[in-house]
Amino acid sequence: MGLWVSFAMQMIGYLLLLGDANYLQFLSSFDIVSIPVFLLTGTYVAQVIVTSSIEVLDDLKDSMLAKQDLIVRNAIMSKQSKTDGLTNLYNQSSFKDYYDKAYEYANNGMSLHLALIDIDDFKAINDTYGHRVGDVILEKVSLIIQENITSSDIAARYGGEEFAILMFEQSFEQAYAMVEQIRQKIANMGHLELDGAFVTVSVGLKSYSPHLSKNKLFEEVDACLYAAKRTGKNKTVTSLDLPNLKSNVSGI
């Protein structure tokens, strides 16, 4: 629109000049006709260029928006593929990938502690109150885990009512204090969904050791968890406790 306004103003100016006899003596018949044709053609070409530029810019904008949307969708899909939909913790598949990498780092000198946490008597909760209430309890337990681990740690829903935590950059005593804090906070939380009843968890904990394979380390942590279950629940059992409990736990 601005180009055509400019053209109109130029034409008005040109017509005014044509009324000047002194100006006309410098123009031939060809000039009189060619000047407005030139102005019209120039304006049209400029309009085409501007319109094309706007279309190109619109196409670039649409392309960038489409790319941004694709990036966001891919990020969401990537997160969904790595996390558990109910608890927002990493899922078992992601945990196994992180565990493989963590074990490699531990072989190179990084501290590593593995904890397995299992909700006590969870089947009874589902059977008594229904699976929806069971899901609420899983969400609450996972939230306590998330709130009490450090930014360096990795927590996952390993399966069912079982959770796994990889802890780095801390001593065994610090790792033990962390999982105990998680266990105690869960034990002290009453649940309206369970008519005010409490939920407890059992925990197995062990640190990386060079003589243990990746699978053996996991098996020993699982054995600690099993011992906690069989000797009263609502407790944390470590590899240091296990020798004293073996006589009381069958199958270990």
Side-chain angles (χ1 to χ4, degrees):
M1 181 63 71
L3 289 172
W4 291 107
V5 171
S6 176
F7 167 73
M9 293 178 67
Q10 291 178 67
M11 286 301 300
I12 291 172
Y14 175 66
L15 292 174
L16 291 174
L17 287 174
L18 291 179
D20 187 343
N22 292 326
Y23 179 73
L24 284 174
Q25 66 181 337
F26 295 103
L27 299 178
S28 66
S29 298
F30 176 79
D31 292 333
I32 293 174
V33 175
S34 62
I35 288 175
V37 171
F38 174 78
L39 291 174
L40 177 62
T41 303
T43 302
Y44 176 75
V45 171
Q47 182 65 58
V48 170
I49 293 173
V50 170
T51 302
S52 298
S53 298
I54 292 174
E55 290 176 352
V56 169
L57 287 174
D58 287 342
D59 289 342
L60 285 173
K61 183 179 179 180
D62 291 341
S63 178
M64 290 185 66
L65 290 174
K67 180 178 284 188
Q68 290 175 354
D69 184 60
L70 182 60
I71 291 172
V72 171
R73 287 177 180 271
N74 286 339
I76 293 173
M77 291 177 63
S78 177
K79 181 180 180 181
Q80 289 176 339
S81 69
K82 292 181 178 180
T83 56
D84 173 65
L86 178 64
T87 63
N88 286 323
L89 297 176
Y90 287 110
N91 56 30
Q92 185 184 98
S93 177
S94 295
F95 172 80
K96 289 181 177 178
D97 291 338
Y98 284 120
Y99 182 46
D100 289 345
K101 294 176 183 176
Y103 188 84
E104 291 178 10
Y105 291 147
N107 280 333
N108 293 321
M110 182 182 71
S111 64
L112 171 64
H113 315 284
L114 172 62
L116 293 177
I117 300 175
D118 191 87
I119 301 176
D120 296 325
D121 304 313
F122 188 71
K123 184 178 183 302
I125 294 174
N126 279 334
D127 291 345
T128 304
Y129 298 95
H131 290 277
R132 179 67 195 105
V133 171
D135 288 347
V136 172
I137 300 303
L138 286 169
E139 291 175 323
K140 288 186 174 183
V141 169
S142 67
L143 183 59
I144 292 177
I145 291 173
Q146 292 178 71
E147 291 175 342
N148 288 276
I149 61 176
T150 72
S151 58
S152 301
D153 302 327
I154 293 173
R157 182 185 179 190
Y158 193 75
E161 68 273 21
E162 188 172 4
F163 303 86
I165 306 176
L166 293 171
M167 292 163 281
F168 311 94
E169 301 177 0
Q170 53 190 302
S171 65
F172 174 80
E173 290 75 17
Q174 290 172 321
Y176 179 81
M178 179 186 293
V179 296
E180 267 293 277
Q181 179 174 271
I182 290 172
R183 182 190 64 79
Q184 291 170 7
K185 285 188 175 182
I186 293 172
N188 292 331
M189 177 187 288
H191 302 277
L192 293 176
E193 299 84 1
L194 305 180
D195 300 323
F198 295 85
V199 171
T200 63
V201 297
S202 297
V203 186
L205 173 67
K206 185 174 177 60
S207 300
Y208 164 85
S209 180
H211 72 276
L212 290 176
S213 68
K214 179 179 60 182
N215 290 336
K216 186 63 177 175
L217 171 60
F218 193 93
E219 289 173 2
E220 293 206 4
V221 177
D222 197 43
C224 290
L225 173 61
Y226 183 65
K229 288 284 191 183
R230 293 294 299 271
T231 58
K233 304 177 183 177
N234 190 25
K235 64 170 64 176
T236 297
V237 171
T238 73
S239 55
L240 302 178
D241 304 316
L242 202 54
N244 298 325
L245 296 173
K246 280 188 176 181
S247 60
N248 299 319
V249 180
S250 62
I252 296 181

